[in-house]
Amino acid sequence: MRRPPFVSRAAVSRAAVSRAGALLAGVLLVGAFAVPASAADGNADGDGVGDKGFTIEDSRITESSGLAASRLHPGVYWTHNDSDDGPYLYAVDSATGKTVARLTLTGIGSPRDVEAISIGPDNQIYVGDIGDNLGGNWPYVWIYRLPEPKTLTDQTVRATQYIVKYSDGARDAESLVVHPRTGRVYIIDKKEDGGHLYEGPATLSASGANVFKPVAAVDLWATDAAFSPDGARLAVRGYFGGIYYDFNGGDLERKGRLDVPLQRQGESVSYSADGAKLLYGTEGSGSSVVAEDAPGGGTGGDSKSPSGGGGSGAAADGGSSSATGGVKLGALAFAVLCVAVFGFGRLLRRKS
């Protein structure tokens, strides 16, 4: 995947400084990232299986880029590396952080840039080989579908491969979600200024290309997304923040901000199987998965924002989050510094 670039020692022009300053001002005004003082703050109240977060112990998992809670095996989360690994999926026990099964996928080509995983109806696992390291120049990308094994052991599983194209041209994406009721597949493209929710055909076809069409705007540089267990809510995360929507059959209604923890490279998000928590993952060896309360318990029945307000849209975004006791000043300052470095790197890269 394309990682956040870092600043070089090259001189930065006045125009670049001005644009970076505007980026910082925007972040401060929006306040899109509420950071807990520590992972323990977000996990102390969790009492469900996997609700307290965990650390991935498997040394083979160095670039965990997707996360999906198993409904067939309580407390188990599926993940994968994003590239240069092979056709593998890992089942991680959240109670120990240890891998309890590695699946080897057959019936597909060589994975290129796997960025997302989601579980649909009938315990079908969908894997999104949808990253585009060429910046949106692949003529097509792929989705793999396979049944979740009833027994968790290392095994080989045959998958079905689907070709995916976009109605408005190639693009980079890291977010794939499958509606838990309808089984329809959606992709969110990854764009700095916000992307779109793309809707796939009602049923994917293994012969020919499946064309995905934009149906709603997404106000975030998205690195992953997840449906609530009932399909009523869609949570979307980025590197420094997150937003949740009422899904409304694809007619998204923004409800508020998510309490996304500050992580080295925030890559994944999943609802817990009961919908009470959102779990956030990151890349790196021994990476941590942090749990936070899901707005409305993840059921989609409560329209309140994390701040406790009952409004939607701008009203829901207006207050500060109370789920983690407010934004910690030191963490906020650090996050702003990260955004500054991030923005300068992007600007330098554009000028080069």
Side-chain angles (χ1 to χ4, degrees):
M1 67 151 293
R2 203 171 56 185
R3 292 173 175 76
F6 294 89
V7 69
S8 70
R9 295 184 180 180
V12 181
S13 68
R14 289 184 179 180
V17 171
S18 176
R19 292 175 65 188
L23 173 64
L24 284 173
V27 170
L28 290 172
L29 288 172
V30 173
F33 41 88
V35 184
S38 67
D41 288 349
N43 300 336
D45 296 330
D47 55 5
V49 176
D51 285 353
K52 297 182 179 181
F54 55 96
T55 298
I56 297 175
E57 302 289 349
D58 194 331
S59 61
R60 297 171 297 182
I61 305 173
T62 58
E63 294 185 313
S64 175
S65 292
L67 197 67
S70 172
R71 293 185 290 272
L72 188 59
H73 304 285
V76 167
Y77 286 80
W78 291 97
T79 190
H80 54 82
N81 289 310
D82 74 351
S83 59
D84 301 324
D85 182 32
Y88 305 121
L89 300 180
Y90 301 84
V92 179
D93 181 356
S94 61
T96 63
K98 298 185 181 300
T99 297
V100 292
R102 185 175 83 158
L103 306 186
T104 302
L105 276 57
T106 62
I108 65 174
S110 178
R112 189 163 52 194
D113 191 0
V114 179
E115 293 288 357
I117 186 168
S118 183
I119 298 180
D122 301 321
N123 300 313
Q124 294 290 305
I125 299 176
Y126 291 75
V127 181
D129 193 352
I130 55 176
D132 192 337
N133 287 326
L134 294 182
N137 288 318
W138 297 122
Y140 54 83
V141 291
W142 300 304
I143 293 172
Y144 313 127
R145 179 179 60 84
L146 63 145
E148 183 175 10
K150 295 181 179 180
T151 302
L152 291 177
T153 59
D154 290 355
Q155 58 190 285
T156 298
V157 180
R158 186 169 185 82
T160 302
Q161 178 169 308
Y162 303 99
I163 296 173
V164 169
K165 293 185 176 182
Y166 301 96
S167 62
D168 52 356
R171 58 201 56 249
D172 187 20
E174 296 187 8
S175 310
L176 176 146
V177 290
V178 183
H179 196 276
R181 297 269 176 88
T182 69
R184 197 157 197 160
V185 182
Y186 298 84
I187 293 173
I188 301 172
D189 61 340
K190 183 184 181 186
K191 299 183 71 174
E192 291 177 64
D193 299 328
H196 285 83
L197 178 73
Y198 283 78
E199 182 181 75
T203 303
L204 296 180
S205 172
S207 61
N210 296 272
V211 178
F212 279 61
K213 301 176 181 179
V215 294
V218 174
D219 307 320
L220 197 70
W221 192 6
T223 60
D224 201 14
F227 273 121
S228 59
D230 63 359
R233 287 252 168 97
L234 178 67
V236 186
R237 77 159 299 173
Y239 291 118
F240 302 111
I243 301 171
Y244 69 99
Y245 298 86
D246 277 352
F247 183 63
N248 299 323
D251 184 16
L252 300 183
E253 180 184 357
R254 178 170 172 158
K255 303 302 292 184
R257 300 190 307 272
L258 296 172
D259 288 320
V260 176
L262 182 63
Q263 295 175 304
R264 177 171 58 185
Q265 187 174 321
E267 286 290 327
S268 59
V269 64
S270 173
Y271 276 91
S272 58
D274 63 2
K277 296 286 184 177
L278 280 165
L279 287 94
Y280 299 94
T282 181
E283 289 194 355
S285 298
S287 59
S288 296
V289 177
V290 179
E292 300 285 357
D293 291 334
T299 63
D302 183 357
S303 61
K304 294 181 180 179
S305 70
S307 64
S312 62
D317 293 341
S320 62
S321 172
S322 61
T324 58
V327 177
K328 305 300 186 289
L329 182 59
L332 177 60
F334 180 71
V336 171
L337 178 61
C338 290
V339 174
V341 174
F342 194 89
F344 275 119
R346 293 294 301 179
L347 294 175
L348 286 172
R349 198 167 155 193
R350 287 176 179 170
K351 291 178 67 63
S352 62

